[in-house]
Amino acid sequence: MSLFWRIFGLNALVLGTATGLLLWAPVTVSVPVLLTEAFILVGGLGVMLVANGALLRWGLAPLDRLTRLMGTVDLLRPGQRLPVPGGAGRRGGGGGRGGGGEVSELIRTFNAMLDRLEHERATSSARALLAQEAERRRIAQELHDEVGQGMTAILLVLKRAADDAPEPLRGELHQVQEITRASLDEVRRLVRRLRPGVLEDLGLVSALTSLTQDFATHTGLRVVRRFDAELPALEPETELVLYRVAQESLTNTARHADATRVEVALRRAGEAVVLEITDDGRGIEAPCEGAGIRGMRERALLAGAALDISSTPATGTRIRLTTPVPALRKPS
């Protein structure tokens, strides 16, 4: 039954019931209307309105559920769908209009729109992230070639000048050397963050080891590593997603968690590889997810992975990224 005929039928049922009660009820209306008769008429009208409202609420309940889903849907959390009345499929196959009318058709259309939007969001996010990685490589290369080499040349000039300078000036030149050397180390650290060359050369485990060591050195936090000895081979894009999620998680821990200990685990769980970062900080609120966490969710979509963030105040935060292992190709 279509939505129009459903509402028409509900109203006809209420009006027909009221008409039947008026026909067979031993109630007369005087002119002018008596007070008792007015009470009966007003009470009957109230009963009609309540009955009509209850039946309409029941008839329009699927639209209410659809409205609530529209208000809460998040493309970074894929899979949110509304069940179609009448047992029809998610994409509208098999049920047709006869099973659920316009409401079912609207729900099927909305679910299909979510499918399309999630696909388009994943595609656009992939392009944006790939462009971002290309820009990071370019900036890292320029920092290494231009800034790094220029600061190295400055260090050499300062050394020659300090060797030939008198004693009062020599101490100041040595101080400038130390400042320049510290700046050069910072530039090299930025280059490693922008372009993890160890990830391309030595693999994910070595890259995460270097990342956590560098993080512990600069933050003073205790970092515990738990990496499985044998991990399956992953696509380069998937390894980069795991590395960037770990990097962003550690950065958020240093900035916001107020933690003293961080544990980074990488293990195989069935047909998936799980990256887990746990801290003992103050936790986060789910509604307070910022750009960093949403960026991690976008990266998870890029690798077809599932990102789960669990946290309660004063108990720390656990970030778990579960990425599927690619199936081995059979020889042709």
Side-chain angles (χ1 to χ4, degrees):
M1 184 182 297
S2 68
L3 184 61
F4 169 79
W5 289 111
R6 182 180 299 179
I7 295 177
F8 180 82
L10 293 175
N11 285 287
L13 175 63
V14 173
L15 293 176
T17 304
T19 302
L21 290 176
L22 289 176
L23 289 176
W24 283 285
V27 178
T28 59
V29 179
S30 303
V31 180
V33 180
L34 300 177
L35 184 60
T36 55
E37 294 173 348
F39 282 145
I40 293 175
L41 291 176
V42 172
L45 177 62
V47 171
M48 287 175 56
L49 292 176
V50 170
N52 192 44
L55 292 175
L56 286 177
R57 179 173 292 277
W58 170 77
L60 299 177
L63 291 180
D64 292 336
R65 293 196 298 270
L66 181 61
T67 303
R68 287 194 297 271
L69 180 61
M70 286 179 174
T72 59
V73 69
D74 186 355
L75 295 181
L76 293 180
R77 302 172 188 266
Q80 297 178 353
R81 299 293 184 274
L82 195 67
V84 180
R90 193 179 80 175
R91 294 182 179 271
R97 286 183 174 270
E102 285 90 345
V103 175
S104 297
E105 185 67 21
L106 179 61
I107 293 175
R108 282 192 291 268
T109 303
F110 178 70
N111 290 340
M113 181 190 69
L114 287 181
D115 290 336
R116 185 177 66 256
L117 289 177
E118 287 178 0
H119 175 72
E120 293 175 355
R121 176 62 183 266
T123 303
S124 61
S125 296
R127 294 197 190 101
L129 291 173
L130 291 176
Q132 184 184 76
E133 290 297 331
E135 185 67 12
R136 287 189 178 203
R137 287 194 295 269
R138 185 188 67 80
I139 295 174
Q141 191 69 33
E142 290 186 1
L143 285 174
H144 180 270
D145 295 343
E146 302 295 334
V147 180
Q149 292 182 7
M151 296 181 73
T152 302
I154 292 173
L155 281 174
L156 295 176
V157 173
L158 287 172
K159 184 179 182 304
R160 288 197 300 267
D163 292 339
D164 299 334
E167 185 54 38
L169 182 59
R170 182 178 303 174
E172 294 181 1
L173 290 175
H174 282 310
Q175 186 178 3
V176 175
Q177 274 185 288
E178 294 302 321
I179 295 174
T180 307
R181 186 174 289 108
S183 300
L184 180 59
D185 292 339
E186 182 65 20
V187 169
R188 289 170 177 169
R189 189 178 71 86
L190 290 175
V191 169
R192 289 195 300 269
R193 286 179 60 85
L194 290 171
R195 183 183 181 184
V198 66
L199 179 63
E200 302 174 359
D201 300 334
L202 301 179
L204 180 61
V205 173
S206 298
L208 290 178
T209 301
S210 175
L211 175 66
T212 52
Q213 288 175 346
D214 187 60
F215 174 80
T217 300
H218 284 82
T219 62
L221 299 180
R222 181 189 173 199
V223 180
V224 178
R225 291 182 293 272
R226 302 185 187 278
F227 300 155
D228 281 359
E230 295 183 1
L231 292 170
L234 298 173
E235 298 290 338
E237 293 81 6
T238 303
E239 290 189 345
L240 183 59
V241 167
L242 290 166
Y243 180 86
R244 291 301 186 195
V245 168
Q247 187 181 52
E248 184 63 34
S249 300
L250 293 175
T251 300
N252 287 343
T253 299
R255 290 178 178 175
H256 312 295
D258 195 19
T260 59
R261 179 181 180 275
V262 183
E263 180 177 316
V264 181
L266 185 67
R267 66 180 187 276
R268 178 166 188 168
E271 297 301 319
V273 172
V274 178
L275 172 69
E276 197 169 270
I277 299 97
T278 308
D279 64 63
D280 60 352
R282 59 188 178 186
I284 59 175
E285 299 275 343
C288 297
E289 292 187 358
I293 294 180
R294 296 188 69 83
M296 287 192 286
R297 293 195 185 279
E298 290 182 349
R299 291 186 181 277
L301 290 178
L302 177 61
L307 182 70
D308 177 66
I309 301 176
S310 58
S311 176
T312 53
T315 61
T317 303
R318 184 190 67 185
I319 297 177
R320 176 184 294 173
L321 181 68
T322 305
T323 179
V325 176
L328 296 176
R329 296 181 179 178
K330 296 181 180 180
S332 56

